[in-house]
Amino acid sequence: MRVVVSEMAESVLDDMNKVRGIDKSGMLSFCVDMAEHYGRALEAAERVSLCFSVLENVVIAGMGGSAIGGELLKDLVREDARVPVEVSRAYSLPGYVDERSLVFVVSYSGETEETLSSFLDAVRRKCMVFCVSSGGRLLEFAERLGVPFLRVPSGFPPRAALPYLFTPLVVLSERLGVVSGVSEGFSEAMSVLGRVSGECAPEVPVSNNVAKGLAVGVNGSVPVVYGFGVFRGVAQRFKTQFNENAKIPSKWEFFSEVDHNEVVGWERAGSLAECFSAVFLRDKAEPVEFRNRIEITKGLMPAGSKVFEVRSQGEGVLARMLSAVCVGDFTSVYLALLRGVDPTPVDTISVLKARMKQSGTKEKVIRELERLAGSR
Ligand code: PA5
C-alpha cells in the first residue's frame, strides 16, 4: 500500500492532544484494548451454563452493531457447521424457525424494536432462545419469561462491544454441538490482536502505521471494501465502521460475486471512479481461486483507481478474521479524526429511533411481551 502522507495528516493523527481533543468519548481506547475485551468476554461466555436439546438450525437475531457478530459467526462456522446458521435482521424470524431452532437474540442496548419483536416471535414459536445484551427491555423480559441470557458490560457504543457480543455466540455454538474446535482459536486471536493493536496504536506515526496510512489513503472517497470467504462479514464490518465512526458512505462486496456484476460497474465509471476507493481484504491462506480473482479484478479497475489492501495476521482463522477487523476499526477511527469528527456519537441513528418511537411499533411489541409475561 503506497500512501502519500500529507503534513496535515501527520499533524492530526500523530498529535496525541489533537487525537484526544477530537475522540472525545474515547473510541480509540476500545480499539487499543480489544485483546483485553476478548479475554473478558471469553471468561464470561465460558461461565454460562446452558442446557438445550438437539437443535436443527441457528438464527442470530439483531441489528447493526449487534448483528455483525452473527455475520462473523456465520462465516467462521460455514464450512464445518452441522446445521444451518443464519442472521436475521428483521421484525420477525424466518418461516422455518420453530421449537427445534436455537435463536440468539442480540441487542447491546436491549431496546431495539426489531430485535424485541424477533424476541417476541422466538418466544411465541417456543424456540430455544438465548439473549445477549447489556440490559434494557430485552433482559427485563428475558428474566420475567425465564429465558436464559448473558448480561454484558454496559457503557460501550454497541459496535465497540463486538468482543462481548460475538464471543458468546462462538463459545455457545460450540458447546451446543453446532461446530467444534473453533473457540480454541481465541487464545491465538488475543495475542495477535495485542500485536495488531500495538502496531496500529495512536502513538505509532502515520509513516509506520497501517491503519493511519489506510485512513489517509481513503480519505475524501467512498471506500468500497471487498471480502471473500471468512472475510465476507469482515468487509461488512469495515463498511459499517466507516459509516458510524467516520460518518461517511461506504459499501462492501464479496468475491466471487464481485466478478459477476460489481466489476462491470468500474468499466465505464469515468470520473465517477474518482469518488471511490477500493479496499481488498487479503489473507495468506486465501485459496488460489480467490487469489487469482482478486488479482485479475484489480487489474481490470480503471487506471489511477485508489486501490488498497489489508492483510490479515495470524495462523488460525479466528485470529486472521479478528486481526482484519482490528485494522478496520482503527482505520475508521483515524478517518474520523482526519475529518475532525468525534467517532462515538451516532446522532442520526438516535434521531431515527426517536422518530420511529412515535409510530408506536415498539410500544406494541412491549405490550405483547407484557401480556405474555403476565400469562406465565
Ligand atoms: O452501532 C450502533 O449504534 C447501531 O448499529 C446499533 O447497534 C443498532 O442500532 C442496534 O442497537 P442495539 O445494538 O442496541 O440493539
Side-chain angles (χ1 to χ4, degrees):
M1 182 173 74
R2 273 186 298 117
V3 172
V4 181
V5 180
S6 68
E7 278 177 25
M8 189 285 284
E10 283 175 340
S11 79
V12 176
L13 295 182
D14 293 347
D15 181 331
M16 287 307 292
N17 286 328
K18 281 193 188 149
V19 165
R20 282 189 213 102
I22 308 172
D23 183 22
K24 293 191 193 73
S25 317
M27 182 62 85
L28 257 179
S29 67
F30 295 118
C31 304
V32 170
D33 299 334
M34 203 177 283
E36 218 171 283
H37 290 302
Y38 273 101
R40 287 191 203 138
L42 189 60
E43 273 175 35
E46 281 172 346
R47 280 199 300 270
V48 173
S49 77
L50 199 55
C51 182
F52 282 136
S53 55
V54 176
L55 50 95
E56 290 184 359
N57 50 68
V58 180
V59 173
I60 302 99
M63 303 300 301
S66 290
I68 196 69
E71 297 291 354
L72 299 182
L73 175 76
K74 184 176 151 177
D75 293 345
L76 178 69
V77 304
R78 184 176 174 276
E79 297 210 332
D80 301 314
R82 297 186 188 104
V83 295
V85 176
E86 194 50 82
V87 180
S88 175
R89 292 178 170 86
Y91 283 91
S92 60
L93 297 166
Y96 60 80
V97 169
D98 62 16
E99 66 277 7
R100 285 154 303 185
S101 304
L102 167 66
V103 181
F104 285 116
V105 181
V106 187
S107 168
Y108 184 73
S109 63
E111 289 293 341
T112 300
E113 72 175 35
E114 299 94 314
T115 316
L116 286 168
S117 176
S118 293
F119 173 65
L120 173 64
D121 195 11
V123 175
R124 277 181 173 156
R125 293 196 212 183
K126 300 187 171 37
C127 304
M128 295 172 261
V129 185
F130 187 83
C131 299
V132 183
S133 176
S134 69
R137 302 286 170 93
L138 181 59
L139 292 199
E140 180 196 321
F141 283 108
E143 259 183 319
R144 288 172 62 186
L145 291 161
V147 171
F149 62 84
L150 175 64
R151 188 185 295 273
V152 303
S154 57
F156 290 68
R159 57 199 180 282
L162 179 63
Y164 297 96
L165 304 178
F166 168 59
T167 309
L169 303 184
V170 178
V171 171
L172 298 179
S173 295
E174 190 167 278
R175 198 172 310 154
L176 293 168
V178 175
V179 73
S180 53
V182 282
S183 66
E184 63 199 30
F186 276 114
S187 149
E188 189 218 353
M190 284 186 277
S191 97
V192 170
L193 283 175
R195 189 173 73 232
V196 176
S197 305
E199 290 166 2
C200 296
E203 297 76 21
V204 180
V206 177
S207 51
N208 223 7
N209 186 317
V210 171
K212 287 183 180 179
L214 182 57
V216 172
V218 301
N219 192 16
S221 67
V222 174
V224 186
V225 187
Y226 296 108
F228 65 90
V230 293
F231 296 91
R232 184 197 60 94
V234 177
Q236 187 172 11
R237 170 72 172 183
F238 265 68
K239 177 259 183 207
T240 56
Q241 292 291 77
F242 281 137
N243 293 150
E244 293 185 61
N245 289 341
K247 277 85 177 164
I248 56 160
S250 176
K251 299 287 159 205
W252 70 285
E253 298 284 343
F254 63 98
F255 281 93
S256 54
E257 183 66 11
V258 168
D259 291 347
H260 299 276
N261 36 64
E262 172 85 1
V263 70
V264 188
W266 291 96
E267 189 181 297
R268 304 260 169 129
S271 58
L272 261 183
E274 289 162 24
C275 306
F276 297 91
S277 52
V279 180
F280 290 87
L281 303 184
R282 304 299 303 260
D283 182 39
K284 65 178 168 210
E286 63 198 14
V288 67
E289 59 274 21
F290 282 117
R291 180 159 305 163
N292 290 338
R293 281 189 179 277
I294 294 170
E295 289 306 328
I296 294 168
T297 304
K298 276 168 55 188
L300 288 169
M301 296 186 69
S305 299
K306 293 184 276 286
V307 176
F308 303 95
E309 291 192 342
V310 171
R311 293 208 161 261
S312 65
Q313 293 193 39
E315 297 302 320
V317 63
L318 205 45
R320 298 190 337 261
M321 287 169 74
L322 296 181
S323 66
V325 167
C326 184
V327 173
D329 285 9
F330 268 106
T331 303
S332 65
V333 177
Y334 290 134
L335 184 55
L337 304 183
L338 270 180
R339 305 183 71 242
V341 170
D342 183 352
T344 302
V346 281
D347 294 343
T348 311
I349 295 180
S350 310
V351 168
L352 209 136
K353 286 185 177 178
R355 288 191 190 164
M356 280 303 295
K357 204 173 170 188
Q358 290 161 16
S359 73
T361 310
K362 182 172 166 183
E363 287 318 306
K364 199 169 148 219
V365 171
I366 288 167
R367 274 201 304 277
E368 290 300 311
L369 283 167
E370 280 288 357
R371 205 178 1 234
L372 209 59
S375 70
R376 291 196 175 183

